[in-house]
Amino acid sequence: MSEISDIEILEMFKQASKKEFAFGELVKKFQKPIYWHVRKIVLSHDDADDVVQNVFVKIWKSLADFRGDSKLLTWILKIATNESLSFLKAKKRKLMISFSTVEEYLKNNLESDAYFSGDEMQLKLQKALLTLPEKQRIVFNMKYFDEMKYEEMSEILETSVGALKASFHLATKKIEEFLKRN
Amino acid sequence: MKNEENILESLKNQANPFDIPEKYFDDLEARVQYKISEQSKNISVFQKAKPYLMLAAGFALIFTIWKTITFAYLDNNISQNIENEQVKNTIDIENYELESITENEIIDIISQEEMEETEINEEVLPEIADKEAIIDYLLEENISELDIIEY
């Protein structure tokens, strides 16, 4: 059976009788790209699971307002990015009480996460990524791991292609220096 | 530097270091649907209570406005009442004084005033007497009445 198209999902979602079915199809179609996008930002599986569920709740609430200016996945990844950043911001506020940083929290999560099976070098790379500013880290993830086109990244992150290229270049340099030092 | 670049290249080709629980994606849809229905329940409780909450908010607003106006009016009235009270007290005191004075006392007061007036007249009288003496003297000295009047 061929995968349901975005247009079909959107058309069915508009009909009250097919709304839940359409949303179920949307979850099936986009759950993996959403999960992996979020997971690379929040790192631990448990946090990613929370964020992913929130992302889908947001999509359920606002899909009727989707105007089709961009691809459905681009619109969804924009929501996922914003939700992940909001999650980290909320964590930062909580961590301020314990005088820890969100990077410290993420590093600890990564080291103790039962669902991280990377070797020493992969762990070192993730630690290097944690030295980057949040948005630079997201840019690096999208380009390096997902090999996403700058144009698509530009739509998701609402940043110019030039700025994204510069950000990725800078991120790569910083990571290389980190790996050299450690 | 070349070495670090190679590390990045080699890491890129390695397997994904992040794992997920087995069959995680199999029941994600069900969990999402459950979360949405739970949130809808919470929302519908709020939706049901919304008209009552709106009504309560309306009453609270009216009460606040009424209270503010009443307070401002009362405040103004209180100061007005205090002034009125002071005037009333003064009148009452005066009335009390008048009520407490008997008719005889009033007559006494008037008589006393007349007495004082008489005393004043007596003080003036010598003067008048002096004037009469002067006139007599002038008449004796053949100074005409016309001259006296002119004088």
Side-chain angles (χ1 to χ4, degrees), chain A residues 41-86:
Chain A
I41 300 172
V42 300
L43 300 180
S44 92
H45 167 73
D46 291 339
D47 289 346
D49 183 42
D50 283 346
V51 176
V52 166
Q53 289 189 44
N54 291 340
V55 171
F56 279 118
V57 172
K58 266 248 159 91
I59 293 170
W60 169 263
K61 286 178 183 169
S62 50
L63 190 62
D65 301 326
F66 176 67
R67 291 176 299 173
D69 295 339
S70 60
K71 276 164 64 183
L72 188 56
L73 180 62
T74 305
W75 180 75
I76 287 172
L77 288 181
K78 196 188 280 186
I79 294 173
T81 307
N82 291 338
E83 277 298 305
S84 304
L85 290 173
S86 298

Side-chain angles (χ1 to χ4, degrees), chain B residues 7 20 24 26 70 96 104 112-113 117 130 132 142:
Chain B
I7 292 171
I20 44 169
Y24 169 73
D26 292 354
T70 312
Y96 172 77
N104 288 335
Q112 204 176 336
E113 279 174 2
E117 209 171 291
D130 287 349
E132 281 172 356
N142 273 337

Side-chain angles (χ1 to χ4, degrees), chain A residues 9-167:
Chain A
I9 289 173
L10 293 169
E11 285 302 317
M12 280 194 288
F13 192 80
K14 285 175 192 167
Q15 300 166 42
S17 60
K18 293 178 181 173
K19 192 176 178 178
E20 285 194 14
F21 172 77
F23 188 71
E25 290 302 305
L26 181 143
V27 175
K28 278 180 210 154
K29 188 174 181 179
F30 298 111
Q31 59 185 1
K32 285 183 183 174
I34 293 174
Y35 175 84
W36 289 115
H37 182 73
V38 171
R39 178 76 188 266
K40 283 188 213 107
I41 300 172
V42 300
L43 300 180
S44 92
H45 167 73
D46 291 339
D47 289 346
D49 183 42
D50 283 346
V51 176
V52 166
Q53 289 189 44
N54 291 340
V55 171
F56 279 118
V57 172
K58 266 248 159 91
I59 293 170
W60 169 263
K61 286 178 183 169
S62 50
L63 190 62
D65 301 326
F66 176 67
R67 291 176 299 173
D69 295 339
S70 60
K71 276 164 64 183
L72 188 56
L73 180 62
T74 305
W75 180 75
I76 287 172
L77 288 181
K78 196 188 280 186
I79 294 173
T81 307
N82 291 338
E83 277 298 305
S84 304
L85 290 173
S86 298
F87 173 84
L88 291 180
K89 201 181 267 181
K91 268 276 176 265
K92 248 180 218 172
R93 274 201 297 272
K94 284 182 190 170
L95 291 167
M96 269 173 77
I97 302 161
S98 61
F99 302 101
S100 181
T101 63
V102 75
E103 288 75 24
E104 197 69 28
Y105 164 82
L106 292 173
K107 202 170 87 179
N108 287 340
N109 266 1
L110 192 66
E111 285 168 343
S112 59
D113 192 1
Y115 298 108
F116 183 81
S117 60
D119 59 20
E120 199 187 331
M121 272 316 291
Q122 283 171 320
L123 183 64
K124 201 180 274 186
L125 175 62
Q126 288 302 323
K127 283 180 182 175
L129 279 168
L130 287 173
T131 62
L132 303 176
E134 268 161 18
K135 283 195 178 165
Q136 210 171 68
R137 187 160 65 90
I138 294 170
V139 170
F140 186 86
N141 282 339
M142 290 166 101
K143 193 69 200 165
Y144 178 80
F145 292 111
D146 305 336
E147 296 179 335
M148 199 180 276
K149 286 178 182 167
Y150 280 116
E151 285 73 21
E152 199 178 350
M153 285 167 66
S154 171
E155 278 189 65
I156 295 166
L157 302 173
E158 292 176 331
T159 310
S160 70
V161 170
L164 290 172
K165 282 180 181 174
S167 185

Side-chain angles (χ1 to χ4, degrees), chain B residues 25-85:
Chain B
F25 290 117
D26 292 354
D27 64 347
L28 181 61
E29 185 198 333
R31 284 187 296 119
V32 168
Q33 297 278 18
Y34 177 75
K35 189 163 185 168
I36 289 168
S37 68
E38 282 298 299
Q39 286 204 357
S40 304
K41 269 184 205 167
N42 291 340
I43 289 167
S44 56
V45 167
F46 176 73
Q47 291 288 353
K48 278 177 194 168
K50 203 177 173 182
Y52 300 105
L53 290 172
M54 295 284 277
L55 199 67
F59 278 124
L61 185 72
I62 291 165
F63 179 74
T64 311
I65 293 167
W66 176 77
K67 195 82 183 162
T68 312
I69 292 168
T70 312
F71 182 75
Y73 174 76
L74 276 178
D75 196 34
N76 198 23
N77 240 16
I78 286 165
S79 48
Q80 188 67 43
N81 281 348
I82 289 166
E83 281 174 24
N84 288 347
E85 196 68 24

